[in-house]
Amino acid sequence: MKKSGPSQPNLKGTLISVMAVGVVIVVMWVCIYLLYIVRM
Amino acid sequence: MHLHKYEKIWLGFGVIALIIFLSVVGVSAFAQGHAPSSGHMTIDPEKVRETAPFDQPGLHKKEDGTYEVAMIALTFGYEPSKLQVPAGKEITFTLTSEDVVHSFSIIGTNVNMMAVPGQINHRTHTFKEPGSYLVICNEYCGSGHHFMSTEIEVVEQ
Amino acid sequence: MKTGEIAAEDRKVALFNLGFAYSAFLIGTLCGLLQVFIRNDALKLPEWLDYYQILTAHGLLLAIVFTTFFIFAFFQAGMSRTLGAFGPKVRLWNWVGFAVTALGTILVVVMVVAGQASVLYTFYAPLQAHGLFYVGLALFVIGTWIQGFSLVGHYAVWRRNHKGELSPLFAFMAIATIILWVIACLGVVATVLFQFIPWAFGWTSGINVELSRSLFWYFGHPLVYFWLLPAYMAWYVIVPKIIGGKVFSDSLARLSFVLFILFSIPVGFHHQLTEPGISSFWKFLQTVLTFMVIIPSLITAFSMFATFEIRGRELGGRGLFGWIRKLPWRDVRFTSIFIAMAFFIPGGAGGIINASFQMNEVIHNTLWVVGHFHITVGTPVAMTFFGLTFWLIPNLTGRRFTKSLQKLAFLQIATWSIGMLLMSTAQHLLGLLGAPRRTAYTGYAHDDALAWFDGLLTNHVTMAVGGSILFLSAVLLVFIVIQLWWLAPKADEQTYEAFPIAESDSSMTPRFLENWKIWIGIAFLLIALAYTIPLAEIIQHAPPGSGRFQTW
């Protein structure tokens, strides 16, 4: 895979958006995991 | 196949998150004994009440000081229909069904077990707080499914 | 009038599938409306009708019938559009397949209406429906196989005539989905043919319940990907064209579909995490495989945002998020699917939770699960299908999707979104409080259960409000469908609804991605790895079989 920095499209917004999706996934998962622990 | 730099970051983040999730539940399940209910013993579904421990449904104290509850699920209720257990003690629920598939789910706890005819299910739980716990069947079992419930009285000893 | 995009004969079979799909949709959503009222004790059904009958119909008609008929309509139209008109054999077998699928469906519905099959769409043994119910299920699957294989035949002809070329992305994805479906159905066909039918007709006396459950879920999980992949096809292939862009990455799109073939099947045990008969080791192994199938969805999430951002920047969007404002929000064909995608974010996240081994105990068979599939199949998939419907029906009928119908369509997706948001949020939260799924009015006399009826969001009433809005939305959609089918003005050259297929640059795509033999081979290896030993144990240590129970 060759370096092609300038030819890559600008996807900063995409990165932030998917990371927001990642945060939703992690937060929801942690909440339910904590609920599991509390009810143990 | 060409990956954008940010896509590598994203997939790296995602895969690491998934590995962490799996490690957390894996360690908790296999190193600390918090696996979901399971069991490998089978039983003749037509001879449930002649087979130990279901010939004596209810609470039994075992030699090691822990407790076992033999529980039969049936349309549309449970045997025993009333149950009193001690708080703060480890209790193993041993469950089967004598007809169709049911569940034995104690609201407010993680005890949520399937009762499958022919199979025996186990789940260990310690009630921290005394009080009355609602048990319901959350697997469809017929016209009276929504009436299938009982209560567990957890008492201080 | 220009309607030459898809051959007239091919349009007809797609339209018949669509008609069947939307008939099922109307009845199925009506059943849903009745359910939320019964659960609130706000409605009493007449003697001859039972809650669980309606629940069975709701599940079957929406999750199975609406989705499957719609998917085949979409595939038939899209394959004819991208690979050229069907030959006479392909066309004939598509009709035969449609007829068999329809016959199976009618048989199943008759049995449910007759009160002979209130077994819900999972039909868990040893609940025993009338034997013809299972015959209907078998016919349904066989019919989809005939339609599927005839599309594979169409594709094979194209490949023969285009040696060394990669097929168009739409066709590639449709074939991947059909492969997934055929392999998945092997499980349900095995249990229905060899366990349920002989047992229901009394030729055998007992049934191995745990085996039947395992075979069902071998089918049951890839089933949800059979719903999702056509939606993903719309996201990858249709949406970029609608917004005027291109497919972000042809190779990643194909790779994600290949990963779905590999990892969506050997994962069924994550629906059986709390039951006996399967050891924790095998349950956990399939949990790990389940997590593998999340990766292609992560790839898809990135591809979607990237498609939008690149197009938005082309249109002059600046800064970090300026591109969002440039997207064609006034085009309901886009907005509907965008909302569908947004719903899949919590939907997918919830799915990860459900599959997380012991955490499954928190939500298993609670209302959470109902909430979950309403924000996976019920919105991301269903609303994507709505978004397709808005142009697919006029494309097939040669009518116009007029401005006033577009406004109605906006109202329709808005009401669906609001209704679903209310209903599924309530369901998720009630589930966490322990409220069970699949019950009629839940009047348990206990404080914990009374809490399911107060609270703002954690309330069965909220659920019913959401459900009512959803039904209004469904009626609106059926009204739009009828307009687009028979009543809207005929289109001319300018107003003709095109079948949007985005350009996808496959010049850099590795050819081996379309070598199906490799992927099918690996898929079967993974299935063998995940299932051989646990299924052998279930068969070897089988308890005496269960008898027949009709408890409804």
Side-chain angles (χ1 to χ4, degrees), chain C residues 232-351:
Chain C
Y232 274 16
M233 286 169 67
W235 300 4
Y236 274 113
V237 186
I238 311 287
V239 169
K241 178 73 177 178
I242 290 175
I243 65 171
K246 290 184 194 146
V247 176
F248 170 64
S249 164
D250 184 83
S251 50
L252 281 171
R254 290 180 203 248
L255 175 70
S256 66
F257 270 60
V258 164
L259 292 176
F260 281 120
I261 294 180
L262 300 187
F263 292 109
S264 70
I265 304 169
V267 298
F269 285 170
H270 76 238
H271 292 259
Q272 301 173 271
L273 289 169
T274 67
E275 68 193 59
I278 306 163
S279 76
S280 290
F281 172 81
W282 293 107
K283 287 178 185 173
F284 192 73
L285 182 96
Q286 293 208 5
T287 298
V288 174
L289 289 170
T290 307
F291 273 54
M292 298 292 290
V293 81
I294 298 163
I295 294 169
S297 284
L298 298 181
I299 296 177
T300 304
F302 191 92
S303 298
M304 292 310 118
F305 282 116
T307 308
F308 297 150
E309 180 165 6
I310 291 171
R311 180 59 184 156
R313 288 189 186 283
E314 272 175 17
L315 293 174
R318 288 162 182 280
L320 263 185
F321 291 109
W323 48 274
I324 296 178
R325 300 214 340 255
K326 297 288 175 186
L327 295 173
W329 298 107
R330 288 167 182 279
D331 187 341
V332 73
R333 300 172 305 165
F334 164 73
T335 308
S336 56
I337 295 184
F338 186 91
I339 298 172
M341 292 176 183
F343 266 93
F344 198 56
I345 297 170

Side-chain angles (χ1 to χ4, degrees), chain B residues 1 15 36 54-55 64-65 68 89 114 130 133 140 146 153:
Chain B
M1 226 172 294
V15 168
F54 303 104
D55 51 346
D64 60 358
E68 180 181 35
K89 295 280 195 287
M114 299 298 291
Y133 287 76
Y140 170 65
H146 49 292
E153 216 54 55

Side-chain angles (χ1 to χ4, degrees), chain C residues 429-474:
Chain C
L429 296 173
L430 285 166
L432 293 179
L433 295 178
R437 72 189 276 203
R438 296 181 152 179
T439 51
Y441 174 55
T442 43
Y444 305 106
H446 191 281
D447 287 345
D448 288 347
L450 294 175
W452 303 335
F453 294 87
D454 32 68
L456 194 61
L457 278 172
T458 56
N459 195 322
H460 276 78
V461 176
T462 312
M463 208 170 104
V465 171
S468 309
I469 299 173
L470 280 168
F471 181 67
L472 286 178
S473 180

Side-chain angles (χ1 to χ4, degrees), chain B residues 1-4 6-7 10-11 14-15 17-19 21-26 28-30 34-46 75-76 95 98-101 103 105 107-123 132-149 151, chain C residues 50 52 118-120 124-127 208-210 213 248-249 251-252 255 273-278 280-281 283-284 287-288 291 294-295 298-299 301-303 352 356-366 433-442 444-446 448-449 452 508 510 512-513 541-547 549 551-552:
Chain B
M1 226 172 294
H2 177 74
L3 276 184
H4 191 282
Y6 292 159
E7 180 146 28
W10 161 239
L11 288 179
V15 168
L18 296 181
I19 291 172
F21 291 169
L22 278 176
S23 310
V24 169
V25 295
S28 162
F30 295 104
H34 302 306
S37 59
S38 69
H40 60 276
M41 298 296 283
T42 58
I43 184 172
D44 185 338
E46 288 180 3
T75 49
F76 300 102
L95 174 73
E98 62 173 24
D99 41 52
V100 298
V101 178
S103 96
S105 307
I107 304 305
T109 75
N110 292 329
V111 180
N112 189 357
M113 324 163 61
M114 299 298 291
V116 179
Q119 306 280 344
I120 299 174
N121 206 357
H122 298 284
R123 178 71 162 80
S132 160
Y133 287 76
L134 174 65
V135 175
I136 58 164
C137 171
N138 66 20
E139 182 56 271
Y140 170 65
C141 55
S143 55
H145 168 47
H146 49 292
F147 299 117
M148 183 166 168
S149 69
E151 280 179 31
Chain C
D50 171 73
Y52 296 106
S118 297
V119 292
L120 310 192
Y124 291 139
L127 288 172
N208 183 340
V209 174
E210 191 53 30
R213 292 173 67 81
F248 170 64
S249 164
S251 50
L252 281 171
L255 175 70
L273 289 169
T274 67
E275 68 193 59
I278 306 163
S280 290
F281 172 81
K283 287 178 185 173
F284 192 73
T287 298
V288 174
F291 273 54
I294 298 163
I295 294 169
L298 298 181
I299 296 177
F302 191 92
S303 298
I352 299 175
S356 289
F357 207 50
Q358 67 271 43
M359 281 161 70
N360 180 259
E361 292 182 322
V362 177
I363 56 86
H364 182 66
N365 277 348
T366 67
L433 295 178
R437 72 189 276 203
R438 296 181 152 179
T439 51
Y441 174 55
T442 43
Y444 305 106
H446 191 281
D448 288 347
W452 303 335
M508 302 288 280
F512 67 85
L513 283 175
H541 302 132
S546 280
F549 292 88
T551 54
W552 61 87

Side-chain angles (χ1 to χ4, degrees), chain C residues 196-212:
Chain C
F196 279 98
I197 289 180
W199 170 75
F201 283 110
W203 307 329
T204 54
S205 57
I207 190 165
N208 183 340
V209 174
E210 191 53 30
L211 180 64
S212 72

